[in-house]
Amino acid sequence: MIDNKGYALVVVLFVSAIILALGAAVLNMSTNEYLMSCYARDYTMAYYLAEGGVQEALSILKDNPAYTPSTNWNTMGEGQYKVKISSKQGGDSILITSTGKVRKAEVVLNVNAKLYIEIDEEVYPDPPHRNVEIQILSWHFEGPI
């Protein structure tokens, strides 16, 4: 008769190793999914911060076409944004570059726009009425998606 006393122990160790490997794989997958969802959340927040910077710049340009924003980072919520406005060669076109950053996620929006400024001195002579219209020519963003 053959002695089978250690056979049950080998089976238990083998099943335990399989369960441990499956548990480690599930833990690894859930950790990766969590990190990807956190990065997607941060990326989305950074995009909306950059878009908010563009909208802020457009709003201020409507009232003051000579507006030049500060180059410092502005804090909003959990992130930061900064806006840069530069004139394009050849006239009244401008490039608005807005960068939104939340933790490691960063998005850059580049908006080409054209300013139309109309001064009406006949209706409002002192000070003259200034009507500013902004036409968006292109809207491009840089990011991982």
Side-chain angles (χ1 to χ4, degrees), residues 39-88:
Y39 184 70
R41 178 200 61 211
D42 293 348
Y43 173 75
T44 303
M45 289 170 55
Y47 176 83
Y48 285 118
L49 279 170
E51 185 174 353
V54 169
Q55 295 296 335
E56 178 186 51
L58 290 172
S59 175
I60 294 173
L61 282 170
K62 186 95 168 133
D63 293 333
N64 179 11
Y67 169 67
T68 54
S70 69
T71 58
N72 298 332
W73 287 95
N74 300 310
T75 302
M76 182 180 288
E78 296 179 27
Q80 301 174 324
Y81 71 96
K82 71 177 174 179
V83 179
K84 178 183 173 193
I85 299 176
S86 55
S87 298
K88 295 186 94 177

Side-chain angles (χ1 to χ4, degrees), residues 92-125:
D92 49 1
S93 290
I94 58 170
L95 175 65
I96 301 171
T97 303
S98 180
T99 306
K101 186 176 8 176
V102 177
R103 289 178 267 289
K104 293 181 181 180
E106 186 170 317
V107 174
V108 178
L109 285 176
N110 292 310
V111 176
N112 287 317
K114 192 165 193 142
L115 293 176
Y116 297 100
I117 303 170
E118 179 181 292
I119 298 174
D120 191 359
E121 294 179 351
E122 293 178 7
V123 177
Y124 301 101

